[in-house]
């Protein structure tokens, strides 16, 4: 019998998270926030109601209500990262958005991830060789700038990069969050 995914609901929509970011006065996109949340969790950051203040390094930010959009974003993201069926997804604009908008959002996502991962994992996290290479690639993507025009080849490249980022996050989460947790249980 096949195991069911641990993820009980889908991520909130990109527009809903964008609106919640604006309402909260966060000054960052939904993609960058989700990247930051993923970086924080993948880096082994504490998982509590003050996650937003930790991810954004701003103690003045109030705890997130678990029932609101950002609370659901956190809960579903945490479940997806732990999902044994690899159900983790990046929160990015829908496919009908322009290539420029989607690639920019992916680079913003990577910027958020890299920053928060560094906060959570510290200066010298214990990484496998594959994870260290993946992190270096994420840093390069975080510095990238989208181009105004693109073609079908660029669409394919963006899809491949998105899948790479997804797998890289799962690798880093395995090294910095799951690995220490499992080692702790063995000791």
């Amino acid at each position: 019998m096949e195991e069911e995914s641990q993820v009980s609901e889908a991520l909130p929509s990109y527009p809903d998270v964008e609106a919640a970011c604006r309402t909260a006065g966060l000054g960052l996109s939904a993609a960058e926030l989700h990247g930051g949340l993923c970086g924080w969790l993948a880096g082994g950051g504490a998982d509590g109601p003050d996650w937003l203040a930790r991810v954004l390094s701003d103690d003045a930010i109030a705890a997130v209500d678990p029932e609101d959009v950002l609370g659901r974003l956190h809960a579903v993201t945490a479940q997806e990262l732990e999902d044994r069926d690899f159900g983790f997804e990046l929160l990015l604009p829908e496919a009908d958005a322009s290539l420029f908008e989607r690639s920019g959002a992916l680079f913003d996502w990577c910027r958020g991830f890299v920053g928060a991962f560094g906060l959570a994992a510290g200066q010298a996290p214990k990484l496998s060789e594959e994870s260290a290479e993946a992190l270096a690639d994420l840093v390069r993507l975080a510095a990238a700038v989208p181009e105004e025009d693109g073609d079908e080849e660029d669409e394919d490249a963006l899809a491949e990069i998105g899948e790479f980022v997804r797998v890289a996050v799962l690798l880093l989460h395995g090294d910095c969050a799951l690995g220490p947790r499992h080692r702790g249980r063995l000791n």
Side-chain angles (χ1 to χ4, degrees):
M1 190 164 120
E2 209 173 286
E3 251 186 67
E4 277 193 42
S5 174
Q6 299 171 354
V7 181
S8 58
E9 78 180 273
L11 286 171
S13 74
Y14 191 85
D16 286 350
V17 177
E18 276 286 306
C21 287
R22 279 192 306 279
T23 300
L26 298 181
L28 73 166
S29 70
E32 192 171 357
L33 176 63
H34 188 244
L37 171 58
C38 292
W40 178 256
L41 295 172
D47 188 20
D50 64 342
W51 68 268
L52 187 58
R54 301 289 150 246
V55 167
L56 299 179
S57 286
D58 185 349
D59 291 335
I61 296 174
V64 175
D65 179 350
E67 300 301 316
D68 75 12
V69 171
L70 298 181
R72 289 193 328 271
L73 177 71
H74 172 267
V76 174
T77 299
Q79 286 178 356
E80 285 186 351
L81 284 169
E82 301 283 331
D83 184 18
R84 292 177 188 210
D85 293 333
F86 306 105
F88 171 68
E89 295 295 328
L90 308 178
L91 182 66
L92 297 170
E94 295 296 322
D96 61 353
S98 71
L99 179 63
F100 179 77
E101 183 182 345
R102 288 180 289 123
S103 59
L106 180 60
F107 301 149
D108 287 347
W109 195 101
C110 291
R111 266 189 290 287
F113 181 88
V114 168
F117 181 83
L119 287 172
Q123 289 282 359
K126 291 182 179 183
L127 299 177
S128 66
E129 188 176 328
E130 295 86 6
S131 288
E133 289 174 16
L135 182 58
D137 288 338
L138 289 173
V139 168
R140 282 191 281 284
L141 287 168
V145 178
E147 293 183 12
E148 282 290 336
D149 54 352
D151 57 17
E152 192 64 37
E153 213 171 273
D154 294 322
E155 286 283 349
D156 294 342
L158 184 63
E160 285 180 31
I161 292 168
E163 182 60 16
F164 164 78
V165 169
R166 196 180 78 76
V167 172
V169 169
L170 293 172
L171 274 171
L172 290 161
H173 182 257
D175 279 3
C176 296
L178 295 179
R181 196 179 319 145
H182 292 300
R183 283 191 294 278
R185 287 184 194 141
L186 294 173
N187 293 332

